Amino acid sequence: MNSKELRLIEELKIKQGDTWRVLKIMSEFVRGFDELSNVGPAVTFFGSSRLGEEDKYYKFAYRTAFRLGQMGFCIITGGGPGVMEAANRGAYDAGALSVGLNIEIPKEQVPNRYQNKSLQFDYFFVRKVMLIKYSFAYVIFPGGFGALDELFEALTLIQTGKSHRFPVILFGSKYWGPLLDFMREVMVPHRTISQEDTKLLTLVDDPEAVISQVLSEVERQYAYLMEEEPMNPLVEKLENILKRSSLR
């Protein structure tokens, strides 16, 4: 077999590999859409996988998810330990649907045991679509590159109009405050973002402030659906959440 024939075989192998990869990506999307089609309304939590039960942000994440779960929200996380575990645990203990969208990575990502719906993904970008598609709000606790990735992905989609505007809530002013200062004091003066862009974020230090932000979004969405899509099955779910919140 000459070198030209060998090169042709290698090219065919590469193309075949790409074809199967595309099919696998498609299958992950189809499975995700199918499994999560009835999930909602949901709030998605992000944060470090390295924070243990003794950490204050673990406790805050648990309390916030528990309160939202009591009100009828589904809680979605990346399915791992740390803040993700705390949020899944809060939802689980509240009797709410606790969803983990897990991903295969070499370190740290061990699925927590507080998920009553668990999906496994191989591709980060498929998982990111699922995390954002079914969420009424993002609550982002202190985290590393993954949390920053999800944060700026959401901001980019909202800023460019590829996603509707929804609450992006940063929990922990001591941790996230310097990032917001950088945006206001460096990015805005350099005109790489506008002052209006900084309003896409809300900074909080208390679970009740998260509840307030999420409920405002529920009221807005409920009013919109009642006018535009009154038969949407989400209407009844939102109405029940608002009823529960009035009994607090």
Side-chain angles (χ1 to χ4, degrees):
M1 190 176 292
N2 59 42
S3 59
K4 185 176 180 181
E5 290 171 330
L6 285 171
R7 188 169 64 252
L8 179 61
I9 289 172
E10 288 304 312
E11 288 175 358
L12 288 171
K13 284 181 180 178
I14 291 171
K15 289 178 180 178
Q16 185 183 47
D18 287 341
T19 301
W20 280 110
R21 191 171 294 113
V22 168
L23 291 173
K24 187 176 180 182
I25 291 167
M26 288 175 61
S27 72
E28 285 205 354
F29 273 118
V30 170
R31 180 170 55 87
F33 291 145
D34 184 56
E35 290 282 344
L36 300 175
S37 60
N38 294 319
V39 166
V43 176
T44 300
F45 280 65
F46 298 100
S48 176
S49 61
R50 305 182 185 191
L51 303 182
E53 291 184 46
E54 74 289 345
D55 189 273
K56 67 177 182 179
Y57 290 117
Y58 183 106
K59 296 173 183 176
F60 278 133
Y62 173 89
R63 193 183 313 165
T64 306
F66 183 84
R67 289 280 292 109
L68 289 167
Q70 283 183 315
M71 295 168 62
F73 285 99
C74 160
I75 301 300
I76 301 176
T77 80
V83 167
M84 294 174 282
E85 176 187 287
N88 281 135
R89 187 176 181 179
Y92 189 89
D93 288 351
L97 181 60
S98 176
V99 178
L101 305 184
N102 304 273
I103 192 156
E104 191 76 30
I105 55 175
K107 296 179 181 179
E108 298 174 15
Q109 184 68 10
V110 178
N112 68 69
R113 65 180 186 273
Y114 301 104
Q115 307 167 42
N116 41 40
K117 182 180 280 290
S118 180
L119 280 74
Q120 188 76 28
F121 293 91
D122 287 328
Y123 298 97
F124 269 106
F125 61 90
V126 179
R127 179 180 182 238
K128 286 162 76 172
V129 170
M130 300 304 155
L131 286 166
I132 201 168
K133 179 174 175 59
Y134 300 98
S135 183
F136 258 63
Y138 269 15
V139 186
I140 305 177
F141 283 78
F145 292 148
L148 287 168
D149 179 46
E150 298 293 351
L151 166 61
F152 286 109
E153 175 86 9
L155 291 176
T156 301
L157 290 172
I158 295 170
Q159 183 200 51
T160 57
K162 297 299 182 181
S163 170
H164 69 279
R165 183 166 180 172
F166 62 92
V168 180
I169 304 166
L170 299 177
F171 196 109
S173 58
K174 188 173 181 180
Y175 188 87
W176 294 114
L179 176 62
L180 287 176
D181 290 341
F182 174 77
M183 290 180 181
R184 297 187 187 109
E185 297 170 12
V186 179
M187 297 180 78
V188 172
H190 278 76
R191 295 181 294 176
T192 52
I193 63 171
S194 70
Q195 185 65 41
E196 197 65 25
D197 289 333
T198 64
K199 297 177 183 177
L200 298 175
L201 291 160
T202 303
L203 186 62
V204 304
D205 287 297
D206 180 70
E208 290 304 312
V210 175
I211 304 297
S212 177
Q213 287 288 317
V214 173
L215 284 178
S216 294
E217 178 65 9
V218 170
E219 290 171 352
R220 189 184 71 81
Q221 289 276 6
Y222 178 73
Y224 170 80
L225 289 174
M226 284 296 290
E227 185 171 336
E228 301 293 334
E229 302 178 47
M231 301 306 294
N232 190 313
L234 199 56
V235 169
E236 184 178 355
K237 294 180 180 180
L238 297 180
E239 189 171 11
N240 289 334
I241 286 173
L242 292 173
K243 286 178 180 177
R244 290 192 189 103
S245 68
S246 67
L247 298 175
R248 291 189 297 158

